[in-house]
């Protein structure tokens, strides 16, 4: 059975700093996972790799057993349904509370 998301042997480096070292993770269809760890553990970097914002030095990320994220543009990845939500809270000045929801 294919994985909904496969992260296979992914390594990410920023200069001489290795943020992710040979990470592998498979998430099956219908499965929910949580990624926890201290600041600097690589959680955000992993999400950036999955959404195409950051490119891995090695390894691959496959979405829906069909889309090789490591070889796809950020906009194509977003169109396929994979994107991260940044934590910066913001509102639209002209909308009321109900419209924001």
């Amino acid at each position: 059975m294919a994985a909904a998301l496969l992260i296979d042997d992914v390594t990410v480096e920023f200069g001489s700093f290795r943020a992710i070292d040979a990470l592998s993770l498979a998430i099956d269809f219908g499965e929910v996972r949580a990624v926890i760890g201290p600041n600097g553990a690589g959680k955000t970097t992993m999400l950036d790799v999955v959404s195409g914002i950051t490119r891995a030095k090695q390894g691959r990320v496959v979405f829906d057993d069909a889309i090789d994220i490591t070889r796809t543009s950020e906009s194509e990845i977003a169109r396929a349904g994979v994107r991260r939500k940044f934590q910066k809270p913001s509102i639209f000045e002209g909308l009321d509370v109900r419209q924001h929801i």
Side-chain angles (χ1 to χ4, degrees), residues 3-6 50 60-73 76-82:
L5 181 68
L6 174 67
V50 169
R60 65 188 180 119
V61 178
V62 179
F63 173 66
D64 198 18
D65 197 36
I67 301 169
D68 185 349
I69 287 175
T70 52
R71 301 184 190 282
T72 306
S73 73
E76 291 172 315
I77 295 166
R79 280 192 292 278
V82 179

Side-chain angles (χ1 to χ4, degrees), residues 20-87:
I20 298 177
D21 188 14
L23 172 67
S24 293
L25 171 68
I27 301 174
D28 294 331
F29 290 95
E31 185 175 34
V32 176
R33 295 268 184 124
V35 179
I36 61 172
N39 290 347
K43 302 176 299 292
T44 300
T45 302
M46 181 193 72
L47 291 174
D48 286 348
V49 169
V50 169
S51 60
I53 295 168
T54 298
R55 296 296 173 177
K57 179 178 180 176
Q58 74 175 38
R60 65 188 180 119
V61 178
V62 179
F63 173 66
D64 198 18
D65 197 36
I67 301 169
D68 185 349
I69 287 175
T70 52
R71 301 184 190 282
T72 306
S73 73
E74 189 177 342
S75 60
E76 291 172 315
I77 295 166
R79 280 192 292 278
V82 179
R83 191 67 179 141
R84 67 168 285 206
K85 167 64 177 95
F86 293 90
Q87 293 182 359

